[in-house]
Structure formats: C-alpha cells, structure tokens
Amino acid sequence: MDNDFTQPTLNRRDLLIAGAASAAVTLPAGSAAQGTAEATPAMASVTLEVNGRSETLQCDTRTTLLDVLREHLHLTGTKKGCDQGQCGACTVLVNGRRVVSCLTLAVMQPGAKVTTVEGLSTTRRLHPMQAAFVKHDGYQCGYCTPGQICSAVGVLDEIKRGVPSHASKDLAARPVVSAAELRERMSGNICRCGAYSNIVDAMAEVAGVRV
Amino acid sequence: MKTFTFERATTPAQAAAAVAARPGARFVAGGTNLLDLMKLEIETPPHLVDVTGLGLDRIERTPDGGVRVGALVRNTDLASDRHIRRDYAVLSRALLAGASGQLRNMATTAGNLLQRTRCPYFYDTNMACNKRNPGSGCSAIGGISRQHAVVGASDACIATHPSDMAVALRLLDAKVETVKADGAQRVIPIADFHRLPGNTPHIETDLQPGELITGVTLPRPLGGTQVYRKVRDRASYAFALVSVAAVVQRDGTGRAAFGGVAHKPWRVEAAEAAMANGSAAVANRVFADARPTHDNAFKLQLAERTLAAVLAESRS
C-alpha cells in the first residue's frame, strides 16, 4: 500500500477501492482458518429497467438494489449512507414510488422501472427539482442530495395523488403543499449539514406554492 | 449477510409449503425489517420465499359490512384508501404515524404485524437477549430500559412491539387470515395473534412454521371520533414511547388501546367501561398489573395523560 501513495495520479476513490480489495482478499483466508464453512453464494439473474434502459445482471441473491445501482451499473449518484433504511441517502423511484434502495434486494425487483438521480431528467437540462435545489442552496456537502431530490420528486407526486400524511389535518380533504406537510413527508431523509429549510423552499417552488 | 437461496412463490399454499419445508426459511415482501436484520445477522434464513407476486394486494368490502385488507397492501396504500380514511380513520392515522414515507411505500400489512422489536439489546449481537438467542438472558433488565415494556413483560424479556398499525387493528378487533403449509386456512383474532414474552420471547406470534398471513379483516365501522396519538422523542420518524388509539362515541363511551407499553398492542376491554369517567379511571385499570423499571416508570403517567389528551380531542 505504501507504494500506492507515490502514485501521483491515484485519487482518494482509487485508494478506497484498493483498500477494500485488499480487505476482501484477506477475508476468506481468515474465515477458512477458523474452520467456518461459508456457504457458496447463491447467484440469480434479474432484469430491471434503470433510467429507461433494460439491464440484465447476474448477482448474488444478497445484492441490494442499491449495490446493483452503484457497483454493477456504476450509477454512483445514489448514495449509501446508513445501509439500514434510516437516512434516506439511497432513495430512488421504483415504478414511480420513492423507496430506500438499501432495503430491497435486486432479485425482489424483476421488471421494475427504477429511476435514479441520473435519470430524473430525460433531456440535457436539469430536472426542475434539481434546478430548484441549486437555486435555493438546498444542500451543503451534497452527500444526501440525490436521495433528497428523488424523495422530493416522490413527495410532490404523493401529494398530487392525494396520499395523506401525519401532518394532514383532515383525512377527508385533499392534502395541500405546506411547510408542515413537506417537513413531515421528508422526515425519512436526513441532512447532517442542515439544509432542511432550503430544501423546503426548493420543493415549494417546484410545487408552485409559497410556504 | 449470510448466503441464502431465493424463490418466488406462485400461490399462497405453495409459499407456505416452501417455507415449512426448509427449517429457518422466511417469507419476504416489503423487506424493510427482515433485510435490516439479515445484514446484522440477527436473522439468518437459508432460504427466502418472495410472496410479492401472489396478489393479496386488494382492499375490498366484506359481505358483513366490514373490509378485507390483503396481506400485501402497502402501508401507504392502506392509509390512503378512501374507505379506510373515512370509516377506519384511526387505522389511517396509526399508519401515517409510523416510519417514513419511503418505508411506508415498501412495507406491507402482514409484514407490519410481523416486524420485530427495536430493543437495542436485541439489535446488539454482543449482548444477551432471550429473543435473539433463547436462554442467553436479558440485557435490557437492569440495563437502559427507557423504551421498554411496563406491562405484560416477564423476567425473560421486557421488549415492546414497535408497530403503530397493530395498535389500531387491536382497537378495531381485526382478524388475521392465514393459510398453512397443508393448505388449511384459519382466522386468528388480533388479540390472540401476538404473544406475551413469558419464558419464550423468541416465539412472538401464534403462527405455525410456514403459516402465511393472507389478509386482515375489519368488522363493520365503529363510527365515533377516532384518534391515534403517538408520543415520541421527535416529531416524526421515531418509535412510540407511548401511543393511544381510541374510538370515542358521542355519549363518552368507547375503546382505547395502547402502544409502546408491552410486547403486544395493549388493550384491556374491562377498563373501557370507565371511558366516560375519564382517563385516570381507565388507565388505573389498564395498567393495574404494571411492573415498570426505574427508567420507564414515566410511561404510566404519560399513558394516562395521553389518553386524557385523546379524550379532550374527541370532545372538541
């Protein structure tokens, strides 16, 4: 590894990958030394439609949708935060609905239409939600941003479809876009930089509402 | 995560038979709780049977004026259904108080009933836990037990059931419909579905190995004012410290069920006769056998005050 540091072209990401690779090499030897018979990974084939393109993959049954997007398809816009469904960084749209891609397996999604942040816009222009995040400074470090944007797109669609929330005062009435509604509905997306109020402003602009 | 083989079930009975045939096999639908537990190797099924292709995703009226909710109806869709919002508002409210928008889009009705406790000692594989490793002891007893059960617990386990939805179903006298590995169907009243921990806290429901939930039925609507009030450490996306589901009629009579206080949704029907007499009269009866810890004794007062707030809201 020391030699790696003398390579001037090596960036931080390459280093992280190199580190992970050497860890992966040592692992099977360690488990063999302990005599644990690790079962052979079960492989499966799955076909998904990701950002409009049909993708057929062979993967370990354990592979989450998130890992398929990042590691198999190299769509690294979708981020891995907690990997346990608590932070929302991995939010994507599956068949039009926002989900956390870390808590579903690729093999559970045959034929699914998946939209990641890379696929939100079908033109060279930004999706309106992306443009609004830029305009309103709806991020700081940017790590949670792809998940925030996918979730925000999903939220406005849910309100349009009449899906109520904990913040909806009257279950019989159609939900409206308000600051309270947007905050409640976005509570599954954590931003440790604290861009929340600007995210609400960005969403309100896309919804055409002042909050 | 441990390796596992995977199959997609073709019929409910075939799914049940497939799980019954492989010791440790599990059904998977939403996956939001099971996959998390598999990553932590708290759950290590050698085989998963995906039931999402079975249909079972409809909400339909029953001939007796009630409603049948398919096992695979997603939490968002159940909470949004017009009929549920109008006639079973407490169920809609309970669902919307739980988890996050993304998780509600994924989680199913049956999976919500089967979700496992969020006791931190259950999640920490370095700690003793009779639920995760039967016979190993309970680290929560004598540990940090602010979130834990105040009633119905045992010397083996003081975990709580995390579901909001299940509290509303208990209030509404729902019934759970199942199919067993031999194809036989049965109906389990929600009161009997979840078990108290006793000496076997790892056995959480009345289901037999391979028995698959196919749906949940609700009896005719109760009318009245329906309220679900959840008290938690933050305003959204947190589990309940205490929750109250209630139906209050105009004359002050009604029903109340409590979440966050026991190993199952907690309802004492005999206490409901005191509903018109106020929250203290009900709570004294509901929690008569409570054995709180030093950390969670506050839940008894919190539950009574939350019920008081619910009764006040129902009158306004």
Side-chain angles (χ1 to χ4, degrees):
Chain A
M1 282 298 290
D2 283 346
N3 288 341
D4 288 342
F5 288 97
T6 64
Q7 302 275 345
T9 56
L10 205 68
N11 63 27
R12 179 171 153 271
R13 181 173 166 76
D14 291 335
L15 270 176
L16 288 171
I17 290 168
S22 44
V25 169
T26 55
L27 242 167
S31 43
Q34 291 166 28
T36 52
E38 194 64 26
T40 319
M43 301 299 285
S45 174
V46 63
T47 300
L48 305 159
E49 189 185 309
V50 180
N51 298 335
R53 273 184 52 172
S54 179
E55 306 276 3
T56 299
L57 312 146
Q58 296 291 323
C59 61
D60 189 315
T61 53
R62 293 172 290 183
T63 315
T64 60
L65 176 59
L66 172 62
D67 285 341
V68 158
L69 294 173
R70 288 183 55 85
E71 309 300 333
H72 291 241
L73 301 176
H74 307 295
L75 292 167
T76 53
T78 306
K79 297 294 186 273
K80 182 180 281 192
C82 67
D83 208 25
Q84 49 189 11
Q86 294 185 6
C87 77
C90 67
T91 302
V92 298
L93 303 171
V94 173
N95 299 324
R97 290 161 62 123
R98 58 185 175 134
V99 304
V100 282
S101 58
C102 72
L103 287 187
T104 188
L105 298 169
V107 291
M108 291 165 62
Q109 301 292 343
K113 290 183 166 57
V114 181
T115 305
T116 70
V117 72
E118 292 94 337
L120 277 180
S121 172
T122 52
T123 69
R124 289 174 61 87
R125 287 224 194 113
L126 292 178
H127 183 280
M129 191 65 76
Q130 292 173 304
F133 267 63
V134 173
K135 178 180 169 187
H136 290 277
D137 210 8
Y139 52 88
Q140 203 175 112
C141 82
Y143 195 84
C144 72
T145 311
Q148 297 277 3
I149 289 175
C150 287
S151 192
V153 170
V155 162
L156 294 191
D157 180 59
E158 285 165 18
I159 293 175
K160 197 180 282 181
R161 288 190 287 113
V163 172
S165 87
H166 181 61
S168 306
K169 291 216 162 53
D170 181 1
L171 279 183
R174 290 197 70 79
V176 293
V177 176
S178 68
E181 282 279 6
L182 296 179
R183 285 192 202 111
E184 161 60 26
R185 290 170 192 264
M186 290 295 286
S187 69
N189 290 85
I190 309 299
C191 170
R192 287 291 83 133
C193 300
Y196 297 115
S197 64
N198 293 357
I199 291 170
V200 168
D201 291 345
M203 292 175 70
E205 174 164 315
V206 176
V209 179
R210 286 181 71 91
V211 295
Chain B
M1 200 187 302
K2 298 288 187 193
T3 59
F4 56 87
T5 49
F6 181 89
E7 73 173 283
R8 291 180 71 79
T10 51
T11 66
Q14 183 266 325
V19 166
R22 279 288 291 277
R26 297 291 304 266
F27 302 112
V28 67
T32 54
N33 190 210
L34 181 61
L35 288 180
D36 185 24
L37 293 169
M38 285 168 66
K39 289 180 187 190
L40 297 166
E41 299 190 354
I42 294 165
E43 295 264 14
T44 55
H47 185 64
L48 284 187
V49 177
D50 183 340
V51 295
T52 53
L54 297 181
L56 305 177
D57 57 357
R58 298 231 305 269
I59 302 169
E60 52 203 0
R61 309 257 180 140
T62 56
D64 65 355
V67 67
R68 182 174 191 280
V69 181
L72 296 169
V73 173
R74 309 281 166 169
N75 286 179
T76 298
D77 298 327
L78 184 55
S80 305
D81 181 83
R82 279 183 60 189
H83 186 199
I84 299 294
R85 282 154 70 175
R86 191 189 64 208
D87 292 340
Y88 304 94
V90 65
L91 175 57
S92 215
R93 286 289 182 196
L95 283 157
L96 295 173
S100 66
Q102 290 97 316
L103 294 173
R104 289 192 297 272
N105 280 343
M106 305 168 80
T108 63
T109 307
N112 190 317
L113 280 175
L114 295 175
Q115 65 177 307
R116 308 200 66 190
T117 185
R118 297 318 195 277
C119 171
Y121 300 101
F122 172 71
Y123 264 75
D124 184 345
T125 52
N126 295 305
M127 306 299 284
C129 173
N130 287 320
K131 191 180 275 298
R132 173 168 36 74
N133 184 12
S136 64
C138 173
S139 299
I141 297 173
I144 298 168
S145 55
R146 181 169 174 272
Q147 298 167 306
H148 291 76
V150 292
V151 68
S154 71
D155 292 336
C157 180
I158 59 170
T160 54
H161 195 268
S163 172
D164 294 295
M165 182 195 78
V167 181
L169 292 183
R170 178 71 181 86
L171 181 84
L172 296 168
D173 282 333
K175 292 191 168 97
V176 182
E177 299 182 342
T178 71
V179 61
K180 291 192 239 183
D182 61 4
Q185 299 177 10
R186 72 168 171 145
V187 177
I188 309 166
I190 188 76
D192 302 331
F193 182 79
H194 293 109
R195 295 166 52 120
L196 289 178
N199 290 322
T200 54
H202 58 292
I203 304 172
E204 294 170 351
T205 69
D206 192 43
L207 295 175
Q208 296 169 8
E211 190 170 4
L212 175 72
I213 299 174
T214 53
V216 170
T217 56
L218 302 176
R220 295 170 64 87
L222 293 169
T225 302
Q226 304 196 3
V227 181
Y228 188 77
R229 186 132 176 172
K230 180 175 181 179
V231 184
R232 42 187 162 172
D233 284 335
R234 59 180 182 228
S236 183
Y237 199 16
F239 290 97
L241 289 169
V242 163
S243 69
V244 174
V247 175
V248 184
Q249 305 296 345
R250 215 171 265 186
D251 62 3
T253 61
R255 303 178 178 184
F258 295 81
V261 295
H263 199 254
K264 58 189 285 185
W266 197 252
R267 178 175 169 209
V268 178
E269 278 88 338
E272 292 168 356
M275 282 287 277
N277 301 332
S279 59
V282 177
N284 286 342
R285 205 67 200 272
V286 168
F287 296 104
D289 299 324
R291 280 201 307 159
T293 67
H294 172 75
D295 289 351
N296 68 17
F298 74 94
K299 284 191 177 185
L300 296 174
Q301 195 173 42
L302 186 61
E304 192 260 306
R305 289 179 176 177
T306 306
L307 179 61
V310 164
L311 295 178
E313 183 179 337
S314 69
R315 280 193 298 268
S316 63

